[in-house]
Amino acid sequence: MYLSSSSPTGIRFLASIKQGNGLKPSARAAGVHQEVGYRWLRESYLGFRCDGKNPAEATEALGFTTSRIPAWEAAVGDTGRHHLQVDVKDEVTFWEAFDAGKDLAQSALVAGVGRSTGYRWLQVRFEQFRGQKVTLKRCQSRLRLTDHRCHALERERLARLATQRNAAAAAQHAAVLSSGRYADQVLASTVSESKQHRLERNTKYWQLMREGKSNAEACRLLGMHRRTGTVLRQANNFQIPSLKPVPEPAGRYLQSRERLQIADLLELGHSMRSVARELGRQPSTIKRELDRHRDSEGRYLPRTADHDARVQRARPKTHKLASNPRLRGLVQRKLNRCWSPDEICGWMKKTYPEDLTLRLCPETIYRALLLRDGQGIHKRYATKLRTGRRIRKTRWRNRTGQGSRIRNMTMIDQRPAEVETRLEAGHWEGDLVIGVGSVSAMVTLRERKTQYGIVVNLPYDHTAASVNAAISGAFAKLPPAMKRTLTWDQGVELASHEELTQKTGVPVYFAERSSPWQRGANENFNGLLRQYFPKGTNLAVHSTQHVANVMRELNTRPRKTMDYDTPAALFSTERKASTKIMR
């Protein structure tokens, strides 16, 4: 495929040449042959010469010199006309005859050309007039065109302009997309083979863990030491990473990839606002970045900018406990007496209210004792803490004794009494069915009177937002009379129950801890569902259609408690009855 020097690839190649890189490295980075690079350099050189620059100025502007420049210089005066193109003198003769009052056919006869050639010249002159903002009526008068032909030429011109605009928009979009791929390619090229191998090995390890393998078995299959797998699990807080691709959030500071994209998009001719829009940043952020990190020649070099920004952001500071011997001595004496950091800090604030140098935060003491890079206090004082451990243990590894983390719960004893009678439809019970590694899950809902069940697959996560969205989508298809209450256990997946109630209008009631019999209908439905989705399996592999088929099969089973009627039939009857009442 033919690539011009104005394409994104050509612009990146010429920018690399301008930055002082050689022909071979620039062509290799752009992914083109050297001869393609020479062609682009020739086009740029001839462009500089046509703009009025002398050979020395054109070479300097190009940033590249070669023995081919004399051959390029010989092509400077070439008009570029095709060898089959009609001579310029014949065109001059045609317009002299046309301006003298002859029509198109007569003028073409005088110039010795065909009528189609004369019509083409007339169309070009029409395009020039319209490009110079000459009105359509004046063009028709000056070129002696009929109404039909004038409007036909105008339609062709507008269609051509629309095609050019669409092509320009497509090129702009392609440039933006290629910029992201270019940044990823540059970043990937900096990763060593050994690091790439470790990343691939870690991905395979977590895949085996999702399949239910033990740490020892997964390490044996991958040919690595069992301790390596333990280190990987510790680094991830003993949780299997989710399969859902989570884009890195735009943090406070620009990342290396963003700086590479800024440099690339600027080379492609984008404005600061368009660059900011593509990166999801504010235009002022891009402006400050360029003002801080441009060199003396006005160039923005992304790797240099990233290095300088990291150095400027470091701001090294001496630890408070390391720089103040009196403070350190007080803390150590109280730790020897088994005081907690909170007690130490409160005592110093009360005992020395006027001395601000003896003010301390409990977290400062904890970090000095429990973090590997903590400074100021010897690690032996960590044994004086109440827990006695020398490293900080994340709260996510052991949640026992933490209590419920759901706020403003309405307990099941406050639920309306008619829910227990099962004489009224629209009262639901819900829970989660969890897959292997606690990554994938399914939301299960069961109506108490009709025993009708709903299953929504959550293949990537089961956060409060995902569960809320799944329940809201399931309830959105039901009439108001068929969604009266919802009973759930105290799982943290329903921490945003107030938002769910506000969105769906369904009040949520929570069962007591370790009391599954308070939601017996849903527990029974989960047991039936496990026949199709056994424990210890990955629920993310099941398609939406397969889950819908299983739900339909469960709802069309006859039930002994309902005189062998099916939940689907009873639910349909109740739904139709509620719709008639609403009418």
Side-chain angles (χ1 to χ4, degrees):
M1 185 179 67
Y2 181 85
L3 287 175
S4 66
S5 58
S6 59
S7 65
T9 307
I11 293 174
R12 293 190 186 102
F13 171 80
L14 295 175
S16 178
I17 291 291
K18 181 67 177 177
Q19 292 175 5
N21 299 322
L23 176 68
K24 290 183 178 180
S26 301
R28 190 182 305 113
V32 297
H33 195 269
Q34 295 182 31
E35 289 302 322
V36 178
Y38 273 122
R39 174 168 58 81
W40 288 341
L41 290 171
R42 179 180 181 275
E43 292 178 6
S44 300
Y45 180 84
L46 295 179
F48 291 140
R49 292 289 284 119
C50 292
D51 291 339
K53 290 183 172 61
N54 57 41
E57 293 173 342
T59 304
E60 183 179 0
L62 190 64
F64 183 78
T65 182
T66 176
S67 59
R68 301 189 183 190
I69 288 183
W72 298 349
E73 187 66 27
V76 171
D78 189 7
T79 59
R81 291 175 65 85
H82 196 272
H83 68 283
L84 296 178
Q85 197 167 348
V86 180
D87 193 84
V88 179
K89 296 179 181 179
D90 296 337
E91 186 176 355
V92 172
T93 304
F94 170 83
W95 285 114
E96 288 177 351
F98 189 82
D99 293 337
K102 297 183 180 298
D103 60 10
L104 179 66
Q106 293 173 347
S107 302
L109 186 61
V110 171
V113 297
R115 289 183 59 183
S116 60
T117 303
Y119 181 77
R120 176 167 50 83
W121 287 339
L122 189 69
Q123 186 177 11
V124 171
R125 182 66 60 90
F126 178 84
E127 297 273 355
Q128 292 174 353
F129 285 160
R130 293 295 286 150
Q132 297 170 3
K133 307 299 182 183
V134 179
T135 63
L136 191 63
K137 190 171 183 180
R138 189 167 180 81
C139 287
Q140 182 179 0
S141 175
R142 293 178 63 175
L143 297 177
R144 302 197 301 275
L145 300 173
T146 62
D147 291 341
H148 176 73
R149 175 161 294 183
C150 181
H151 288 90
L153 290 176
E154 180 66 12
R155 285 194 300 271
E156 292 179 9
R157 187 184 74 88
L158 293 177
R160 193 177 301 110
L161 291 177
T163 303
Q164 293 174 358
R165 285 194 301 269
N166 293 337
Q172 188 85 349
H173 182 64
V176 171
L177 294 180
S178 65
S179 177
R181 292 193 297 267
Y182 175 74
D184 292 334
Q185 179 183 356
V186 173
L187 288 177
S189 63
T190 60
V191 179
S192 63
E193 293 185 3
S194 59
K195 186 175 182 180
Q196 185 67 26
H197 174 70
R198 287 195 299 271
L199 292 175
E200 294 176 356
R201 182 202 62 188
N202 295 349
T203 302
K204 295 178 181 178
Y205 173 81
W206 289 120
Q207 183 59 37
L208 291 173
M209 295 296 290
R210 291 188 190 95
E211 295 173 359
K213 306 291 185 183
S214 65
N215 176 55
E217 188 176 2
C219 293
R220 184 171 61 254
L221 291 174
L222 294 176
M224 63 184 188
H225 197 274
R226 188 171 58 183
R227 176 62 184 167
T228 305
T230 304
V231 171
L232 281 176
R233 297 171 67 199
Q234 290 176 347
N236 286 274
N237 293 331
F238 295 94
Q239 293 182 353
I240 299 178
S242 174
L243 288 173
K244 184 177 182 179
V246 180
E248 293 185 2
R252 179 181 177 186
Y253 304 109
L254 291 172
Q255 305 297 323
S256 300
R257 185 184 187 279
E258 293 177 304
R259 289 191 167 95
L260 287 169
Q261 268 196 282
I262 289 173
D264 191 51
L265 291 174
L266 289 176
E267 292 291 347
L268 295 176
H270 288 66
S271 64
M272 285 192 292
R273 288 190 176 276
S274 62
V275 173
R277 186 166 52 252
E278 174 61 24
L279 296 181
R281 297 281 187 174
Q282 292 294 327
S284 56
T285 303
I286 307 301
K287 185 179 185 304
R288 286 195 299 269
E289 174 71 12
L290 297 177
D291 291 343
R292 289 171 182 167
H293 300 298
R294 270 181 169 152
D295 60 8
S296 57
E297 299 180 5
R299 297 178 303 176
Y300 177 74
L301 305 177
R303 296 197 179 279
T304 304
D306 191 64
H307 171 74
D308 294 344
R310 292 180 184 277
V311 172
Q312 295 167 7
R313 196 165 60 237
R315 298 191 189 95
K317 182 180 179 182
T318 306
H319 289 258
K320 197 171 186 178
L321 288 168
S323 61
N324 192 335
R326 184 188 175 195
L327 177 64
R328 182 172 64 253
L330 285 173
V331 172
Q332 289 176 350
R333 283 199 296 271
K334 299 304 178 184
L335 285 173
N336 264 330
R337 297 175 60 182
C338 297
W339 284 27
S340 69
D342 185 71
E343 294 169 343
I344 296 172
C345 296
W347 172 81
M348 285 193 297
K349 184 177 180 180
K350 187 174 182 178
T351 308
Y352 306 100
E354 303 297 332
D355 193 350
L356 298 181
T357 61
L358 298 180
R359 297 289 177 86
L360 201 61
C361 175
E363 180 65 16
T364 304
I365 302 177
Y366 279 119
R367 293 177 69 87
L369 290 174
L370 303 180
L371 295 187
R372 183 177 300 177
D373 55 350
Q375 299 179 16
I377 305 178
H378 197 277
K379 303 299 181 184
R380 66 173 179 269
Y381 289 98
T383 58
K384 300 294 183 179
L385 295 177
R386 194 163 300 160
T387 59
R389 64 174 65 99
R390 294 176 177 269
I391 60 173
R392 172 162 280 180
K393 187 176 182 181
T394 174
R395 69 182 67 177
W396 303 106
R397 294 186 189 175
N398 185 8
R399 298 184 182 179
T400 59
Q402 298 280 333
S404 176
R405 293 191 290 124
I406 302 179
R407 297 181 179 181
N408 304 324
M409 290 191 300
T410 304
M411 300 308 296
I412 193 171
D413 56 356
Q414 302 179 32
R415 192 174 64 176
E418 57 264 25
V419 179
E420 294 292 334
T421 62
R422 299 198 181 191
L423 298 177
E424 186 180 56
H427 301 287
W428 297 81
E429 296 176 359
D431 196 7
L432 283 186
V433 173
I434 307 298
V436 62
S438 298
V439 178
S440 57
M442 289 183 180
V443 173
T444 62
L445 300 168
R446 196 174 196 184
E447 204 279 324
R448 286 177 57 84
K449 180 180 180 181
T450 63
Q451 300 297 311
Y452 184 85
I454 298 176
V455 185
V456 182
N457 195 15
L458 300 176
Y460 302 118
D461 60 35
H462 45 90
T463 61
S466 301
V467 173
N468 274 14
I471 299 174
S472 301
F475 281 166
K477 306 173 183 178
L478 303 179
M482 295 300 293
K483 44 182 181 179
R484 302 178 188 272
T485 63
L486 174 63
T487 305
W488 207 273
D489 59 8
Q490 295 187 28
V492 295
E493 66 273 1
L494 220 66
S496 303
H497 62 95
E498 294 175 322
E499 298 177 7
L500 177 64
T501 301
Q502 184 178 4
K503 186 174 182 181
T504 61
V506 180
V508 181
Y509 299 91
F510 290 90
E512 299 292 343
R513 282 184 174 274
S514 303
S515 304
W517 59 85
Q518 295 180 348
R519 303 169 16 267
N522 182 255
E523 291 291 334
N524 177 267
F525 185 74
N526 291 347
L528 297 175
L529 193 66
R530 281 300 189 184
Q531 294 179 325
Y532 301 88
F533 309 111
K535 291 184 179 180
T537 60
N538 184 10
L539 303 181
V541 300
H542 302 291
S543 65
T544 304
Q545 185 61 40
H546 176 60
V547 175
N549 293 337
V550 171
M551 185 179 74
R552 187 184 307 109
E553 188 170 341
L554 287 175
N555 287 323
T556 53
R557 280 191 189 184
R559 297 287 187 269
K560 182 178 180 180
T561 56
M562 297 185 298
D563 197 17
Y564 297 103
D565 283 338
T566 63
L570 293 179
F571 187 81
S572 178
T573 303
E574 292 288 342
R575 185 170 184 173
K576 291 178 181 178
S578 63
T579 305
K580 290 180 180 179
I581 294 174
M582 290 177 59
R583 293 178 180 176

